[in-house]
């Protein structure tokens, strides 16, 4: 299994799940704690996109699976079909998308660690993030959850991301991806 495909799938599932849960005005009791925990784990996963250290990536994924097993509010979104993390190999990533994901996760983790969380901002960041990992998805790719969903092109992922941003976010991130 290609590391980028596995990480991309896990990020996509997690970001889409949280985007859907945080949409409403009223967050259920305990949701902030679950959101923080999930985002912390997703942030660890996104750091694996820039790593060529197979053992480090394997350890992060195993920890993520453990968190999913221990926390049903997080784990219910991941339909793990296999736990064959030993079959990981380093494949080719996408520097632009990986850097974009990293920057958006930095903003997301900063926001969720504030004493008062601006829910709309969290929602917009998740909306901007959710299509980026889709460049690593694809039919018949071997992954942990076997999502088996079509991937998208890099330019489409960037375009979708920018379309889901507020005006202020677009100003901030437009230069990062100005080639599109």
């Amino acid at each position: 299994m290609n590391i980028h495909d596995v990480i991309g799938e896990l990020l996509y599932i997690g970001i889409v799940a949280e985007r859907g849960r945080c949409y409403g005005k009223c967050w259920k009791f305990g949701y902030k704690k679950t959101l923080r925990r999930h985002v912390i784990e997703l942030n660890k996963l996104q750091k694996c996109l820039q790593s060529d250290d197979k053992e480090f990536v394997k350890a992060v994924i195993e920890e993520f699976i453990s968190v999913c097993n221990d926390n049903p509010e997080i784990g219910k979104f991941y339909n793990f079909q296999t736990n064959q993390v030993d079959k990981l190999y380093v494949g080719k990533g996408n520097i632009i998308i990986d850097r974009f994901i990293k920057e958006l996760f930095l903003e997301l983790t900063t926001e969720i660690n504030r004493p008062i969380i601006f829910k709309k901002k969290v929602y917009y960041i998740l909306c901007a993030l959710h299509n980026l990992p889709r460049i690593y998805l694809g039919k018949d790719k071997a992954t942990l959850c076997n999502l088996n969903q079509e991937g998208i092109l890099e330019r489409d992922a960037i375009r979708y991301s920018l379309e889901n941003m507020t005006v202020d976010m677009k100003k901030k991130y437009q230069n990062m991806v100005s080639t599109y």
Side-chain angles (χ1 to χ4, degrees):
M1 293 182 288
N2 183 334
I3 288 173
H4 289 89
D5 295 344
V6 171
I7 299 297
E9 177 189 60
L10 296 175
L11 288 174
Y12 178 71
I13 292 169
I15 293 166
V16 168
E18 293 306 342
R19 185 193 67 171
R21 286 203 294 191
C22 82
Y23 178 67
K25 289 182 181 178
C26 182
W27 287 3
K28 291 183 179 180
F29 181 77
Y31 175 63
K32 286 181 190 179
K33 183 178 178 182
T34 300
L35 175 66
R36 281 186 179 115
R37 179 69 176 162
H38 199 180
V39 169
I40 287 168
E41 295 305 318
L42 291 172
N43 191 38
K44 290 177 187 175
L45 284 173
Q46 72 83 19
K47 289 177 182 177
C48 293
L49 291 173
Q50 291 97 26
S51 177
D52 289 338
D53 184 353
K54 199 166 78 169
E55 292 306 312
F56 167 73
V57 173
K58 180 182 167 189
V60 170
I61 291 173
E62 286 174 343
E63 178 186 346
F64 183 77
I65 292 170
S66 176
V67 168
C68 288
N69 290 335
D70 293 344
N71 190 331
E73 282 301 308
I74 295 172
K76 68 183 176 183
F77 299 107
Y78 300 91
N79 186 17
F80 293 108
Q81 301 294 314
T82 181
N83 193 5
Q84 297 178 338
V85 241
D86 294 333
K87 295 186 177 183
L88 289 175
Y89 64 86
V90 178
K92 185 178 178 190
N94 184 302
I95 296 168
I96 295 169
I97 296 293
D98 294 350
R99 193 177 85 220
F100 202 10
I101 290 171
K102 179 181 176 181
E103 291 299 319
L104 286 168
F105 259 100
L106 179 63
E107 187 168 352
L108 180 60
T109 54
T110 300
E111 188 58 42
I112 65 162
N113 287 321
R114 293 178 187 264
I116 298 174
I117 298 174
F118 295 106
K119 297 173 187 174
K120 273 192 169 182
K121 187 170 183 181
V122 169
Y123 176 72
Y124 280 116
I125 296 168
L126 289 168
C127 286
L129 258 172
H130 93 276
N131 278 304
L132 295 174
R134 285 183 61 198
I135 67 162
Y136 295 117
L137 301 181
K139 294 277 186 188
D140 302 322
K141 284 189 174 182
T143 56
L144 294 177
C145 298
N146 291 330
L147 192 58
N148 207 21
Q149 182 174 328
E150 278 299 328
I152 60 176
L153 299 172
E154 174 186 356
R155 71 171 189 269
D156 292 335
I158 291 170
R159 184 171 49 93
Y160 298 155
S161 182
L162 292 171
E163 287 173 357
N164 281 292
M165 290 183 178
T166 64
V167 174
D168 292 337
M169 287 174 72
K170 281 182 189 175
K171 288 178 187 175
K172 182 177 180 179
Y173 293 107
Q174 188 75 45
N175 291 335
M176 180 185 293
V177 290
S178 61
T179 58
Y180 293 97

